[in-house]
Amino acid sequence: MTSRKPIAVGTNDSAQSQAAVLWAARRAHRADLPLVILHVVDDRWVAEPYPWFGTLQQAGEELLKTAAGRLEGTVPVSPDTELLTGSVGGSLAKYSKRTSMMVMGSGSGHFGGTLADRALQVATAAKVPVAVVGTQDLEGRSGVVVGVDGSPESTQAVAFAAAEADREGDELTVVYAVDVPDPIIDAGLSPAAMAELIADEERVVLSEAVAGLKEDYPDLVVHQRLETERGAVAGLVEAAAGARLLVVGSRGKGAFKRLLLGSTAHGVLKHLPCPVIITRTDAALTV
């Protein structure tokens, strides 16, 4: 390990966040890293110290105690807990600087808010890999899936996914989804040969994405999958339907480089097929 920074997981006691706490605890145990369970009391609308705010803080402390207690006898970790105040997404994203990975539940309509205004905020602003966990049954699942598109972010995602798959004895599936002209629909605009030519060119991108993996991980089984019949989000969600983990980069090679979270990462989180890790190009591969 190159870092002893903890894995941190946010909780609001929803089913999704309970699943996230358990997932984070198991990962911290395997990686021999500390675990911190976080809860945020939203104080953005408190203009003065109302008496009931102390009640919210007390409830938050009890929630953290309950979350930590659920791990007893389940995962051999001794988590720390910390109560934060502020906006939920902003507070967790700021806290991420002190961690090696942030873990979030996929969201609900309860007090923690929805996926769009919680997990997406953290995934957008965090400086470390962010894992988003749903309530899917992971029993019997295997394999790591990673999306690529030739961007530096996807190169980082492949490196993370390969290390993850090799460490856990999983097979790795590298998926590249591209829009290839349909020879029937685009008749008159692009001949059938053009569609195949484009596909051949994109297979080069896919091959480059996995170049060097055999040397780094000689025992790792790597599958390459060029998806030409559906978009990136649908292709990745389908490929990861039975997987243990899906890894995507924070951004792709789209035109909107100013966006902190790309459309593919955004879309995958909206259709979570399994736990998803969003990697960052400026984050070390430590967990």
Side-chain angles (χ1 to χ4, degrees):
M1 290 295 170
T2 58
S3 171
R4 287 291 299 169
K5 289 184 176 180
I7 293 176
V9 54
T11 183
N12 60 9
D13 209 37
S14 66
Q16 290 89 340
S17 66
Q18 289 180 31
V21 170
L22 181 59
W23 187 93
R26 288 171 172 165
R27 189 173 186 90
H29 174 61
R30 291 196 306 270
D32 191 27
L33 288 174
L35 175 68
V36 181
I37 305 175
L38 308 171
H39 177 68
V40 182
V41 176
D42 193 339
D43 68 350
R44 289 174 298 171
W45 317 115
V46 180
E48 58 183 277
Y50 289 106
W52 49 258
F53 188 67
T55 302
L56 291 179
Q57 291 179 308
Q58 183 178 357
E61 294 286 1
E62 288 297 322
L63 187 151
L64 288 171
K65 183 178 179 180
T66 299
R70 288 195 183 99
L71 298 178
E72 294 180 5
T74 303
V75 185
V77 297
S78 299
D80 291 325
T81 60
E82 189 164 344
L83 187 69
L84 307 177
T85 58
S87 70
V88 177
S91 296
L92 293 176
K94 182 178 179 180
Y95 193 93
S96 72
K97 298 176 183 178
R98 301 160 56 181
T99 73
S100 57
M101 175 180 286
M102 288 294 299
V103 183
M104 295 282 295
S106 59
S108 71
H110 299 294
F111 294 109
T114 63
L115 171 61
D117 66 1
R118 294 297 183 261
L120 282 175
Q121 288 176 16
V122 178
T124 298
K127 301 301 182 183
V128 296
V130 174
V132 181
V133 180
T135 57
Q136 298 92 347
D137 183 4
L138 303 182
E139 186 69 27
R141 288 178 176 238
S142 64
V144 176
V145 176
V146 59
V148 301
D149 64 1
S151 67
E153 286 80 3
S154 73
T155 299
Q156 173 77 357
V158 170
F160 187 103
E164 169 80 20
D166 185 71
R167 183 172 59 245
E168 300 297 329
D170 271 315
E171 296 184 1
L172 176 67
T173 300
V174 183
V175 180
Y176 182 23
V178 295
D179 292 323
V180 175
D182 187 286
I184 297 177
I185 296 177
D186 297 318
L189 298 177
S190 177
M194 179 63 72
E196 186 58 32
L197 177 61
I198 293 174
D200 287 341
E201 292 177 346
E202 301 300 359
R203 289 189 187 97
V204 174
V205 175
L206 184 56
S207 296
E208 290 176 345
V210 302
L213 291 185
K214 195 63 178 177
E215 289 75 16
D216 294 336
Y217 307 103
D219 297 327
L220 178 63
V221 177
V222 180
H223 305 282
Q224 300 179 43
R225 179 169 173 175
L226 181 66
E227 175 60 68
T228 62
E229 297 182 359
R230 66 193 81 193
V233 173
L236 286 170
V237 169
E238 191 275 333
R244 177 178 64 82
L245 184 69
L246 171 61
V247 180
V248 294
S250 57
R251 291 184 299 178
K253 62 179 182 180
F256 300 101
K257 287 298 185 183
R258 68 181 182 275
L259 296 179
L260 296 177
L261 191 67
S263 59
T264 297
H266 191 149
V268 165
L269 292 187
K270 289 285 192 179
H271 301 86
L272 205 71
C274 63
V276 173
I277 293 180
I278 300 172
T279 61
R280 327 293 302 198
T281 54
D282 54 354
L285 298 179
T286 58
V287 292

